[in-house]
Amino acid sequence: MLIKHEFEVHASAKYLFDLTQDYTLRAAWDTLTSEAYLINATQAAVGAQARGMGGNGLSMDIEYVSYKPSEVAAVKMISGPYIFDQFAGGWHFKALSDELTRVRFSYNITARPRWLSWILTPILCLKFKLETEKRIVALTAYAERQFVAVPVAVR
């Protein structure tokens, strides 16, 4: 089941992309993540793997399947909580100006066990949708607060 969120942030696409892919800063803004780090790489890129752990103690390992700086980062789950049969996500950044970006989060989720997926997937997606809305508010607030502090030459 596909979940999409689209929103605007008063920050540059480059700044937002870099912020969202910086695992040393992820826990500072990401309400879904208490800890995150790259597993097999020093920076995000196609093929890089990362682990994210939630405040609930569950963790998910993902692998980047697309990575285009300032524009798109897409991942797929390689291991995660039992309830997830499949998980994939993409974050798209479109610069509307030097200081305004349209961001689209898209997630494709299927629940397990497969024979109950027809009822569990919508429930899991609703929960993830609500958590993602909190994540968007937190990302927007953090990014806009930090972006104004970034020197113009660095933006």
Side-chain angles (χ1 to χ4, degrees):
M1 177 176 264
L2 185 63
I3 302 169
K4 285 186 180 182
H5 294 277
E6 196 165 310
F7 55 102
E8 292 180 1
V9 182
H10 292 280
S12 73
K14 179 185 179 337
Y15 175 80
L16 282 170
F17 184 90
D18 291 347
L19 171 64
T20 59
Q21 304 313 303
D22 184 338
Y23 285 84
T24 64
L25 294 175
R26 181 63 67 95
W29 64 265
D30 191 345
T31 58
L32 286 174
T33 306
S34 60
E35 185 179 354
Y37 54 90
L38 290 163
I39 298 170
N40 68 340
T42 57
Q43 64 182 40
V46 172
Q49 296 175 358
R51 175 168 294 144
M53 290 176 276
N56 58 8
L58 298 177
S59 68
M60 180 183 289
D61 291 353
I62 56 94
E63 181 176 340
Y64 281 87
V65 295
S66 181
Y67 190 85
K68 190 172 181 184
S70 301
E71 293 182 29
V72 66
V75 301
K76 67 177 180 178
M77 179 182 75
I78 52 177
S79 68
Y82 178 78
I83 192 70
F84 287 96
D85 183 44
Q86 296 179 10
F87 176 91
W91 294 0
H92 299 262
F93 303 84
K94 181 177 182 184
L96 302 177
S97 74
D98 290 344
E99 296 188 1
L100 183 63
T101 303
R102 180 171 292 127
V103 182
R104 185 176 72 237
F105 286 178
S106 302
Y107 301 104
N108 199 336
I109 300 170
T110 307
R112 212 190 265 193
R114 287 189 179 181
W115 65 275
L116 279 178
S117 183
W118 66 274
I119 188 72
L120 293 178
T121 295
I123 294 167
L124 182 60
C125 286
L126 176 61
K127 172 73 172 149
F128 201 79
K129 180 180 184 294
L130 295 173
E131 291 301 321
T132 300
E133 289 169 358
K134 292 177 193 172
R135 183 186 221 187
I136 289 166
V137 169
L139 170 61
T140 301
Y142 183 91
E144 290 180 348
R145 199 170 47 248
Q146 298 300 318
F147 184 70
V148 297
V150 174
V152 174
V154 178
R155 292 184 186 177

